[in-house]
Amino acid sequence: MALTLSAVAALVQGELEGDGAASIEGLAGLAEAQRGQLSFFGSPKYLEQLKVTRASAVLAPVGAPVPQGVAAIRVAQPHLAFARVAQALQPKNEAPPGVSPRAEVHPTAMVHPTAHVGAFAVVEAGATVAEHAVISALAYVGRGAQVGAHSVLHPHAVVYAGCVVGKRCVLHSGAVVGKDGFGFAFDAAAPGHVRIPQTGIARLEDDVELGAQSCVDRATFGETVVGQGTKVDNLVQIAHNVKVGAHSILCAQAGVSGSATLGQGVVLAGQVGVAGHITVGDLSRIGAQAGVAQDVEPGSTLLGAPAIEHRQFFRAATVFNKLPELWKQVRSLVKRLEALEEGRGKHT
Amino acid sequence: MALTLSAVAALVQGELEGDGAASIEGLAGLAEAQRGQLSFFGSPKYLEQLKVTRASAVLAPVGAPVPQGVAAIRVAQPHLAFARVAQALQPKNEAPPGVSPRAEVHPTAMVHPTAHVGAFAVVEAGATVAEHAVISALAYVGRGAQVGAHSVLHPHAVVYAGCVVGKRCVLHSGAVVGKDGFGFAFDAAAPGHVRIPQTGIARLEDDVELGAQSCVDRATFGETVVGQGTKVDNLVQIAHNVKVGAHSILCAQAGVSGSATLGQGVVLAGQVGVAGHITVGDLSRIGAQAGVAQDVEPGSTLLGAPAIEHRQFFRAATVFNKLPELWKQVRSLVKRLEALEEGRGKHT
Amino acid sequence: MALTLSAVAALVQGELEGDGAASIEGLAGLAEAQRGQLSFFGSPKYLEQLKVTRASAVLAPVGAPVPQGVAAIRVAQPHLAFARVAQALQPKNEAPPGVSPRAEVHPTAMVHPTAHVGAFAVVEAGATVAEHAVISALAYVGRGAQVGAHSVLHPHAVVYAGCVVGKRCVLHSGAVVGKDGFGFAFDAAAPGHVRIPQTGIARLEDDVELGAQSCVDRATFGETVVGQGTKVDNLVQIAHNVKVGAHSILCAQAGVSGSATLGQGVVLAGQVGVAGHITVGDLSRIGAQAGVAQDVEPGSTLLGAPAIEHRQFFRAATVFNKLPELWKQVRSLVKRLEALEEGRGKHT
């Protein structure tokens, strides 16, 4: 596919400096781009790359020094504009409507005629697959589960019985929605852990993405919910009865314990852990590997385990590295002080 | 389904205060429960919720102030009693006996007539599937593997060749039993990592549960073992030659390195790491994200990385946050002491 | 299978002390080995086990005190030699060539006649499966993807469209190659996260192993690459545009963020996190649970989060445990110093 620069400028509502009839056929980073490609300048740290880029055109903010011979399309948010152009250029490999003769679809399941169900996919009794949804080969939709319009289950994605996937969601390979929450009561008499049936469901609102191997467990009662537009990376754990607000970002290998609540626009970096039954306020950002054990005020930026304000963490971590030296100094101070105290004793 | 309160009281061996002929049809938390539902009061922190609950009946310890108009069933362990009632109320969606014509079962595999094998499930040569076991759609049982009576493999669960799953086990979607242990010897001459064949197996004793995406690797020699009644959450790694004792709990994203031994009743919280070749004693509790690098005495409660006694960790973590202040104070002390020392010099 | 000791000695280029005509039929650790089995002595800490082993023969370095009646095969690297013998003894359960009638192979896919494609496996349009490759039951090879000669995809392994798997690779169950990288641009106007199409691929060089549930995401542009001979354990995350050098080892639950570069022979222990856009130099070793946030010099050994030189970390961690005591001492020093200062005031 190709787009003229005029078309690109119109798409991103940017101002074109250059030949609108010229066309671009691909996208690349500033350093890798070739003639015929479009790039973007989104951060001052790539200034040197901008100056020597071979791209034909660059999405850049007003004032950025796009070199001579390279068309500029001025936009306020180059990264966002780039995403929009990339989507427009992406070939549409849409799955054809229809159910593979090698899929297993229960007679009571409702699959919209525009939906795709691939080979060896399974749609159980009473399940619903809405218009233009894609149930890829080897994916599984449990009894009575609902998959919303335009949602895509990649191969080996699993939706357990009764769970709900909204519209335009993406479940990557190995994503599991609605596995039983991890709840047991210990019976000392038997002895053994007695399963607490998890009678609730898991529900993804619209535009949610779950990465490969990510898990959203079903609730003990009620619902585990991942809010509208929230994006979840690979290998993330979302336990039973968790509520994740809209437009949050959960990076790879993060884990959220049972009944925790994340607000809107929260960012959990990689390998973060959030304890159960706590609330992380809107727009909070939790740094990589942090462990959040208490409620977090909206807008906080935390790091460390237990997590604290991130600048405080950096200052403390700096001293941590000097702890052996600090220890020695205090040992030395004690001795010197003792000497002084004895000296004073002599004086009196 | 519905149960009379008399039946509930009998089931949990509790004492009923209320109308035994009244029936309950569902379960819910104290705050969410409606008329016709049963709830439970298991912790003083829910006292306010208890006072205003709309449940028809509550499982509660003797003395708990169940409000007027709400039936009380007095039990010592309300949480456990609740689990028992929930199990009794749970609809039995049992998979029908028989092998789907779209399953692939090797002629030499032995599948009990009461077992269920779903569409696109695979049971390889010489494998055994015992009575009432459920091999769900898309699950895989390797060559010569054994699945015990009443065990359930959810869609996409995998048991590698020769491995053993006990009775009444549950393997959730993506659980993998018996993948090769991660063992290599480096050949500097080639160069390259030379695989050490993992000739042992992985074995789950009875009543083990593995969460979604959890892995139990096969042993180099002998067996990797997960003990009777142990429950494993999602995304947990159990490496080759590990032994996990009975009735332990491994929370999500915990990892146990090769040849480590966990005792009975051990609890690993989320994202805990246990180093190889060490022993964690019975009934030890390891807090979230802790890193255990040395043997742990039975009954310990640890936190931190490297893990230490949990109260000690909390005290140290509190000071950690004040390290910049501590550093400044020591700087200041040094100066003040130097001043004093010089002053003393003058005195003598 | 069985091997004579002469054959074993020849295989590992070792010097035999014992009866070359005797044969061994199995392998075991020193403590577990029985007559007829071969073991190895690779570390002084197993000296006591060596002295009482019942093995028929032991791979051991020159000078190691192999007991009377046990044959010794002298080699420089017993562990490596053991791996070679284990491979020779391993029964070859090779998958038969051919495509299962119950596999779904697109007419435009090219599957070599010596390759195996199991039941319910899917090979999409334009994909290539080279000689002696094994696409196990329930594995998935996406549109235009390439699987190299002698590579094995275990059940439920997934290769997304266009991605490349080299020769002799192993993808264990649940491994996912080429899922979309996790890249979004936020549109405050809409509002919502706008997907940045990930138009690159993921590529595994030859002899790479991916453990169960491990993920290698496709690049935004260009390639995510895992270098020749690198071995990846279970539940590992390798994000988009990462480059991992040859012969590296990534242990379970490690995570590497986008655009990071790992050199050759790097070892990431379990649960390590590597930040985005940084470089970890050749032969660096990063200890368990460490968090690497900055470039790492080749040959470094780091621990902690943020990661520091490992001896420094151990020293600092030792003091960490004594922080409450340190805090008290400083409090006390301040008071005593104040007293002295006042006292000196009196003197002057």
Side-chain angles (χ1 to χ4, degrees):
Chain A
M1 287 195 56
L3 286 175
T4 64
L5 291 184
S6 295
V8 171
L11 179 67
V12 302
Q13 298 176 290
E15 196 155 331
L16 174 64
E17 300 170 4
D19 176 9
S23 74
I24 53 112
E25 292 183 1
L27 301 167
L30 284 169
E32 298 81 23
Q34 304 295 327
R35 296 311 295 175
Q37 291 187 312
L38 175 75
S39 193
F40 76 104
F41 174 67
S43 159
K45 67 180 167 180
Y46 298 113
L47 187 59
E48 294 309 309
Q49 292 187 13
L50 175 63
K51 289 179 179 167
V52 298
T53 187
R54 285 175 292 192
S56 287
V58 173
L59 297 156
V62 172
V66 175
Q68 285 238 327
V70 178
I73 299 170
R74 302 295 179 176
V75 289
Q77 299 179 73
H79 194 213
L80 174 60
F82 191 71
R84 297 244 183 253
V85 179
Q87 290 192 344
L89 278 175
Q90 202 178 26
K92 303 281 174 275
N93 270 326
E94 282 188 359
V99 175
S100 164
R102 298 179 106 177
E104 179 89 353
V105 176
H106 194 274
T108 63
M110 284 167 291
V111 175
H112 195 275
T114 59
H116 170 86
V117 181
F120 316 133
V122 175
V123 182
E124 299 277 20
T128 305
V129 177
E131 58 268 30
H132 299 288
V134 175
I135 311 300
S136 300
L138 299 161
Y140 179 85
V141 179
R143 184 186 296 240
Q146 300 170 36
V147 176
H150 297 276
S151 284
V152 177
L153 271 64
H154 283 273
H156 296 128
V158 170
V159 181
Y160 273 62
C163 294
V164 178
V165 173
K167 296 173 184 165
R168 298 173 302 276
C169 290
V170 177
L171 275 66
H172 280 289
S173 290
V176 174
V177 173
K179 172 246 165 195
D180 289 348
F182 194 64
F184 302 91
F186 191 69
D187 183 354
H193 298 285
V194 178
R195 153 159 293 288
I196 299 168
Q198 306 287 308
T199 59
I201 66 162
R203 185 163 58 85
L204 308 184
E205 295 185 350
D206 297 341
D207 302 298
V208 167
E209 176 167 331
L210 290 188
Q213 326 297 2
S214 286
C215 305
V216 181
D217 282 1
R218 69 190 314 122
T220 312
F221 311 115
E223 300 184 341
T224 306
V225 180
V226 180
Q228 196 254 318
T230 284
K231 310 299 183 185
V232 177
D233 201 350
N234 301 336
L235 296 160
V236 170
Q237 157 73 351
I238 298 177
H240 52 175
N241 293 84
V242 165
K243 312 289 182 195
V244 180
H247 305 306
S248 289
I249 293 278
L250 280 67
C251 293
Q253 299 173 321
V256 183
S257 305
S259 301
T261 300
L262 306 189
Q264 298 196 10
V266 168
V267 178
L268 303 186
Q271 300 181 336
V272 161
V274 174
H277 297 272
I278 67 171
T279 296
V280 177
D282 293 349
L283 299 172
S284 292
R285 304 170 68 87
I286 315 297
Q289 297 188 321
V292 182
Q294 296 187 306
D295 285 353
V296 174
E297 291 292 307
S300 303
T301 303
L302 304 187
L303 254 182
I308 56 176
E309 201 276 330
H310 74 299
R311 281 162 303 206
Q312 190 188 358
F313 176 80
F314 281 123
R315 284 193 296 265
T318 303
V319 181
F320 175 85
N321 298 348
K322 296 188 278 194
L323 278 182
E325 182 189 337
L326 188 67
W327 182 259
K328 268 189 208 159
Q329 282 191 344
V330 171
R331 298 284 82 193
S332 154
L333 280 173
V334 168
K335 281 188 189 157
R336 286 158 66 184
L337 195 65
E338 279 168 2
L340 271 186
E341 285 169 340
E342 283 167 17
R344 188 185 60 167
K346 282 175 194 168
H347 284 286
T348 39
Chain B
M1 287 196 55
L3 286 175
T4 63
L5 291 183
S6 297
V8 171
L11 179 67
V12 301
Q13 298 176 290
E15 195 155 332
L16 175 64
E17 302 169 4
D19 176 11
S23 74
I24 54 113
E25 292 184 0
L27 300 166
L30 285 169
E32 298 82 21
Q34 303 295 329
R35 298 310 295 173
Q37 292 187 314
L38 175 75
S39 191
F40 76 104
F41 174 68
S43 159
K45 67 180 165 180
Y46 297 112
L47 187 57
E48 294 309 310
Q49 293 186 12
L50 174 62
K51 290 179 180 168
V52 297
T53 187
R54 285 175 293 192
S56 286
V58 172
L59 297 156
V62 172
V66 175
Q68 285 238 329
V70 177
I73 299 169
R74 302 296 178 178
V75 290
Q77 299 179 74
H79 194 213
L80 175 60
F82 191 72
R84 298 244 182 254
V85 179
Q87 289 191 344
L89 276 175
Q90 203 178 26
K92 302 281 175 276
N93 271 325
E94 281 188 359
V99 175
S100 164
R102 300 179 104 177
E104 179 88 354
V105 176
H106 193 275
T108 63
M110 284 166 291
V111 176
H112 195 275
T114 58
H116 170 86
V117 181
F120 317 131
V122 175
V123 182
E124 299 277 22
T128 304
V129 177
E131 59 269 28
H132 299 289
V134 175
I135 311 299
S136 300
L138 299 161
Y140 179 86
V141 180
R143 185 186 295 241
Q146 300 170 36
V147 177
H150 296 277
S151 284
V152 177
L153 271 63
H154 283 272
H156 296 128
V158 170
V159 181
Y160 272 61
C163 294
V164 178
V165 173
K167 295 172 184 164
R168 297 174 302 276
C169 291
V170 178
L171 276 66
H172 280 288
S173 290
V176 174
V177 173
K179 172 244 163 194
D180 289 349
F182 194 64
F184 302 91
F186 192 69
D187 183 354
H193 298 286
V194 177
R195 154 159 293 289
I196 299 168
Q198 305 288 306
T199 59
I201 66 162
R203 185 162 59 85
L204 309 184
E205 293 184 352
D206 297 341
D207 302 298
V208 167
E209 175 167 332
L210 290 188
Q213 326 296 4
S214 285
C215 305
V216 181
D217 282 2
R218 71 192 312 124
T220 311
F221 311 117
E223 299 185 344
T224 307
V225 180
V226 179
Q228 197 254 318
T230 284
K231 310 299 182 186
V232 177
D233 201 352
N234 302 334
L235 296 159
V236 171
Q237 156 74 350
I238 298 176
H240 51 176
N241 293 84
V242 166
K243 311 288 183 197
V244 180
H247 304 306
S248 290
I249 293 278
L250 280 68
C251 293
Q253 299 174 319
V256 184
S257 304
S259 300
T261 300
L262 306 190
Q264 298 196 11
V266 168
V267 177
L268 303 186
Q271 301 182 332
V272 161
V274 174
H277 297 271
I278 66 172
T279 296
V280 177
D282 292 350
L283 299 174
S284 293
R285 304 171 69 88
I286 314 296
Q289 298 188 319
V292 183
Q294 297 188 308
D295 286 353
V296 174
E297 291 292 308
S300 304
T301 302
L302 305 187
L303 255 182
I308 56 177
E309 200 277 330
H310 73 298
R311 280 162 304 207
Q312 190 186 359
F313 175 80
F314 281 123
R315 283 192 297 264
T318 303
V319 181
F320 176 85
N321 298 347
K322 297 188 278 193
L323 278 181
E325 183 189 337
L326 188 66
W327 182 260
K328 268 189 209 159
Q329 282 191 343
V330 172
R331 297 285 82 191
S332 153
L333 281 172
V334 168
K335 281 186 190 158
R336 286 160 65 185
L337 195 66
E338 279 168 3
L340 271 185
E341 284 169 340
E342 283 166 19
R344 186 184 61 168
K346 282 176 195 167
H347 285 285
T348 37
Chain C
M1 287 194 55
L3 286 175
T4 64
L5 291 184
S6 297
V8 171
L11 178 67
V12 301
Q13 297 176 290
E15 196 154 331
L16 174 64
E17 300 170 3
D19 176 11
S23 74
I24 53 111
E25 292 184 0
L27 301 167
L30 285 168
E32 298 81 22
Q34 303 296 327
R35 297 312 294 177
Q37 292 187 311
L38 176 74
S39 191
F40 76 104
F41 173 68
S43 159
K45 67 179 165 181
Y46 298 112
L47 187 58
E48 294 310 309
Q49 293 186 12
L50 175 63
K51 289 178 181 168
V52 297
T53 186
R54 285 174 293 192
S56 287
V58 172
L59 297 156
V62 172
V66 175
Q68 285 239 330
V70 177
I73 300 170
R74 302 296 179 177
V75 290
Q77 299 178 74
H79 193 213
L80 175 61
F82 190 72
R84 298 241 182 256
V85 179
Q87 289 192 342
L89 277 175
Q90 202 178 26
K92 303 281 175 275
N93 269 327
E94 282 188 1
V99 175
S100 164
R102 299 180 105 178
E104 179 89 353
V105 177
H106 193 273
T108 63
M110 285 167 292
V111 176
H112 195 275
T114 59
H116 170 86
V117 180
F120 316 132
V122 176
V123 181
E124 299 277 20
T128 305
V129 177
E131 60 268 29
H132 300 289
V134 175
I135 311 300
S136 300
L138 298 163
Y140 178 87
V141 179
R143 184 186 293 240
Q146 300 170 36
V147 177
H150 298 277
S151 284
V152 177
L153 271 63
H154 283 273
H156 295 129
V158 170
V159 181
Y160 272 61
C163 294
V164 178
V165 173
K167 296 172 183 164
R168 298 173 301 277
C169 291
V170 177
L171 275 66
H172 280 288
S173 290
V176 174
V177 173
K179 173 247 165 193
D180 290 348
F182 194 64
F184 300 91
F186 192 68
D187 183 354
H193 297 287
V194 177
R195 154 158 292 288
I196 299 169
Q198 306 287 308
T199 59
I201 65 162
R203 186 162 58 85
L204 308 183
E205 294 185 352
D206 296 341
D207 303 298
V208 168
E209 176 167 331
L210 291 188
Q213 326 296 5
S214 285
C215 305
V216 181
D217 281 1
R218 69 193 312 125
T220 312
F221 311 117
E223 298 184 341
T224 306
V225 180
V226 180
Q228 197 255 316
T230 285
K231 309 299 184 187
V232 178
D233 201 351
N234 301 336
L235 296 162
V236 171
Q237 156 74 350
I238 298 177
H240 52 175
N241 293 84
V242 164
K243 313 288 183 197
V244 180
H247 305 306
S248 289
I249 293 277
L250 280 68
C251 293
Q253 299 174 321
V256 183
S257 305
S259 301
T261 300
L262 306 189
Q264 298 196 11
V266 168
V267 178
L268 303 186
Q271 300 182 335
V272 161
V274 174
H277 298 272
I278 67 171
T279 296
V280 177
D282 292 349
L283 299 173
S284 292
R285 304 170 69 87
I286 314 296
Q289 297 188 321
V292 183
Q294 296 189 306
D295 286 353
V296 174
E297 291 292 308
S300 304
T301 302
L302 305 187
L303 254 182
I308 56 176
E309 200 276 328
H310 73 298
R311 281 163 303 210
Q312 190 188 358
F313 175 81
F314 281 123
R315 283 192 296 265
T318 302
V319 182
F320 175 85
N321 299 347
K322 296 187 278 193
L323 278 182
E325 183 188 336
L326 188 66
W327 182 260
K328 267 190 211 159
Q329 283 191 343
V330 172
R331 297 286 81 192
S332 153
L333 281 172
V334 168
K335 280 187 190 158
R336 285 160 65 184
L337 196 64
E338 279 168 2
L340 270 186
E341 285 169 339
E342 283 167 17
R344 185 184 62 168
K346 281 176 194 167
H347 285 286
T348 37

